[in-house]
Amino acid sequence: MDITLTDTGIIMNQSANRTVLYARVSTAEQNIDHQKTQAEAAGFTIDDVVADLGTSGISTTLAERPEGRRLADMLRRGDTLVVRWVDRLGLNYQDVTDTIRMFMRQGVVVRTVINNMTFDGATTDPMQEAVRDALIAFMVATAQAQAEATKEAQKAGIDAAKSNGAKYRGGKPSYDRKTFQRVVDRLATEGNVSAIARGEGLTRQTVLRIRDRQADCEAALTKWGM
């Protein structure tokens, strides 16, 4: 909040509206730097970056992600939310359409870097509202359909490799054996999944997988010679 000094005292001014970038990547090996760079190259001046790392857009809603919840809490009327595309908010049709409409009702403008789309709740014309909502629905449905098609293609490739007798090892673990052992030891003594994830530089989902499927995780390390 800004403070103005006058002859009669101090006036507290409401903070200027902010432009917030929300970024999300699905795996721990990725980073969000390119999403910020792309937004700035498109002409956006970013005041804050909120990012969920190693988080699926299919299996989690925005409200289920730690930074997604923080995003919803921090945005205020007049702020602008920037995303690379609507798929960064998620890949579930109902969740993403509900999320965008919620932000618009709160007076937040939602903008995309790709295609330079702008969605806000300022219009009261029913025809413009219908066109806007139809466009949102189309974009989100397209994102979910593409994600599902990619997932099916990956599954088909895995099945083909297995049927051909190829040695399928699954995804490479995002941790080495020393980190794995430290996580196992800390789970036995601490049990605080979020704290362990932060301390070891892993996602919360990875620590939960080690906790719940320790034998499978150890087998994966062996398969990858780690």
Side-chain angles (χ1 to χ4, degrees):
M1 180 171 291
D2 298 327
I3 299 176
T4 301
L5 297 177
T6 69
D7 293 337
T8 57
I10 299 176
I11 299 176
M12 306 296 290
N13 302 318
Q14 187 174 356
S15 298
N17 297 133
R18 295 174 302 170
T19 297
V20 180
L21 172 71
Y22 176 71
R24 180 184 60 79
V25 290
S26 301
T27 68
E29 288 77 16
Q30 297 173 304
N31 64 69
I32 55 93
D33 292 347
H34 69 288
Q35 294 183 44
K36 184 173 186 289
T37 300
Q38 192 176 18
E40 291 173 336
F44 291 98
T45 300
I46 305 300
D47 298 310
D48 293 291
V49 177
V50 177
D52 278 301
L53 308 179
T55 307
S56 169
I58 298 176
S59 60
T60 64
T61 65
L62 187 72
E64 291 172 334
R65 303 174 211 142
E67 295 302 292
R69 290 193 297 272
R70 187 167 77 88
L71 176 73
D73 290 338
M74 71 186 292
L75 289 173
R76 298 290 183 266
R77 179 172 297 276
D79 288 346
T80 298
L81 169 62
V82 177
V83 290
R84 187 183 67 86
W85 206 53
V86 294
D87 62 347
R88 294 306 87 196
L89 291 171
L91 294 164
N92 177 279
Y93 174 85
Q94 195 63 56
D95 175 56
V96 178
T97 53
D98 287 348
T99 294
I100 294 176
R101 288 168 183 157
M102 174 194 72
F103 284 136
M104 289 193 300
R105 287 194 300 271
Q106 294 175 352
V108 175
V109 177
V110 181
R111 297 190 61 185
T112 68
V113 176
I114 296 177
N115 301 130
N116 192 29
M117 304 301 298
T118 299
F119 302 112
D120 63 47
T123 181
T124 57
D125 181 270
M127 186 60 68
Q128 292 180 356
E129 287 182 343
V131 172
R132 178 201 65 198
D133 292 347
L135 183 56
I136 292 171
F138 173 76
M139 292 173 66
V140 177
T142 300
Q144 180 173 341
Q146 289 176 338
E148 291 175 349
T150 299
K151 187 176 181 179
E152 286 300 315
Q154 290 172 340
K155 183 177 182 298
I158 291 171
D159 290 343
K162 289 180 177 178
S163 64
N164 291 333
K167 185 179 180 181
Y168 176 67
R169 296 185 292 179
K172 185 177 181 179
S174 58
Y175 46 85
D176 57 22
R177 189 167 290 277
K178 288 183 178 179
T179 303
F180 168 77
Q181 192 57 55
R182 283 199 305 271
V183 171
V184 171
D185 293 342
R186 291 184 65 176
L187 284 168
T189 58
E190 300 176 35
N192 189 323
V193 173
S194 297
I196 294 172
R198 288 193 299 270
E200 299 297 337
L202 301 173
T203 66
R204 190 172 186 276
Q205 289 88 340
T206 297
V207 175
L208 287 172
R209 186 162 60 250
I210 293 174
R211 184 193 70 183
D212 299 334
R213 301 175 58 186
Q214 182 177 332
D216 291 343
C217 292
E218 190 161 13
L221 287 169
T222 301
K223 288 178 181 179
W224 280 91
M226 299 172 68

